[in-house]
Amino acid sequence: MPTLVLRNAESGASCEIERGCGRVYAIEAATAGGLEALLEELLEAPGTQVAHGVGGMVSNINVLENIALPAVYFGRARGEELETRVIAMFGACGVAGDQAEALCRKHPGELEPFEKRLAGFVRCLFLEPELLVYYRFLEGLTGTDMERAIALDAAYRARQPAGTSVYLMLSGVPARQVQCYRQYIM
């Protein structure tokens, strides 16, 4: 299996991420700059998608359109089947059909913090990443929403059993413990 070696230039620490084994990793860095540099390294690997802590969506289009943009562009979905698939993906994340439809009609500015992460996560699922990076994904959430956010990885696992998940977190920021194969503090 291919292995990625990440190095934090600020601290000099390094770690190894094994791909294609269905593993989950958690990496903490002391500074936002160090974390950003690790993200840049991970993005160099083919098949990588980022579920960003702020959702990472275009503000003037609704959630469905935000999910559709990369899915259609990369040929992962066609217009006529897209909404049905989006609703099904939200369902795999524990969101009922009527709630998913309402969520799809909202614009990013109308979303609660967890909903932003959820929508960005569903967008990532459409692209079938081999490596899914949860970048500062838990920051600013309530304890209950952190649990819900961590549970989303099960939906990724169901779709990509051999996929690799990496949680990139800032040290010292309160967060729930992520069940993982290996945790690195860099």
Side-chain angles (χ1 to χ4, degrees), residues 57-67 90 98-116 119:
M57 296 211 217
V58 178
S59 64
N60 63 342
I61 60 176
N62 68 31
V63 168
L64 179 62
E65 292 164 337
N66 266 285
I67 293 169
F90 277 119
D98 57 335
Q99 291 174 317
E101 288 175 14
L103 188 60
C104 284
R105 289 189 297 271
K106 289 183 177 182
H107 283 76
E110 301 171 304
L111 300 176
E112 298 294 323
F114 174 75
E115 291 174 327
K116 287 180 183 180

Side-chain angles (χ1 to χ4, degrees), residues 4 19 37-48 131:
L4 295 171
R19 296 184 59 181
L38 291 169
L39 175 63
E40 292 301 320
E41 284 186 60
L42 286 165
L43 285 172
E44 291 178 16
T48 301
L131 175 62

Side-chain angles (χ1 to χ4, degrees), residues 10-28:
E10 291 180 356
S11 68
S14 63
C15 67
E16 291 185 358
I17 305 295
E18 223 176 327
R19 296 184 59 181
C21 297
R23 293 195 170 134
V24 179
Y25 296 87
I27 302 173
E28 290 183 31

Side-chain angles (χ1 to χ4, degrees), residues 70-112:
V72 170
Y73 180 80
F74 289 111
R76 301 287 185 179
R78 293 181 308 227
E80 62 272 1
E81 68 185 38
L82 189 64
E83 187 169 0
T84 303
R85 288 183 59 201
V86 169
I87 300 301
M89 284 190 184
F90 277 119
C93 298
V95 179
D98 57 335
Q99 291 174 317
E101 288 175 14
L103 188 60
C104 284
R105 289 189 297 271
K106 289 183 177 182
H107 283 76
E110 301 171 304
L111 300 176
E112 298 294 323

